[in-house]
Amino acid sequence: MSTLVEDNPAKHRFEILVDDALAGFTAYVPRDGYLVFTHTEVNEKFQNMGVGAALVRGTLDQLRERGTKIVPQCPFVAAFIKRHPEYADLVAQGT
């Protein structure tokens, strides 16, 4: 299974492709120099396969490279960061 996480700025979301099929996305709203993550969705046929975690990990890795901070309003993204504290530095302070 090959996966690719890429930003789709036109739709304000990061998408994960599994074997070239859209398997899920995490939506964001740009605000004051950071991204507010509002919703994550994984296609039913890709659930319970680690696709959601791979999506969030790939998204956060790309944002770290860019130096972009986030606000994890989406419960899935917030729970991922809680389980993986190595990403806690990406959360915008005071938000």
Side-chain angles (χ1 to χ4, degrees):
M1 178 169 78
S2 73
T3 62
L4 171 68
V5 175
E6 56 188 9
D7 192 3
N8 183 338
K11 292 188 176 182
H12 296 291
R13 66 188 196 179
F14 279 82
E15 300 172 340
I16 187 166
L17 303 175
V18 176
D19 298 329
D20 297 323
L22 179 64
F25 64 88
T26 185
Y28 61 81
V29 177
R31 186 172 296 147
D32 299 326
Y34 54 86
L35 299 181
V36 179
F37 281 85
T38 58
H39 179 71
T40 300
E41 196 171 300
V42 174
N43 182 309
E44 198 172 289
K45 85 177 204 182
F46 293 103
Q47 290 181 359
N48 302 311
M49 297 171 58
V51 170
L55 167 61
V56 175
R57 178 175 279 110
T59 297
L60 296 176
D61 288 344
Q62 289 182 44
L63 293 175
R64 173 169 278 137
E65 287 178 18
R66 292 186 203 171
T68 303
K69 299 287 187 184
I70 71 158
V71 176
Q73 284 185 350
C74 167
F76 188 85
V77 174
F80 181 90
I81 292 171
K82 189 172 185 174
R83 284 192 316 273
H84 301 276
E86 65 271 23
Y87 291 105
D89 63 307
L90 295 176
V91 177
Q93 297 302 310
T95 57

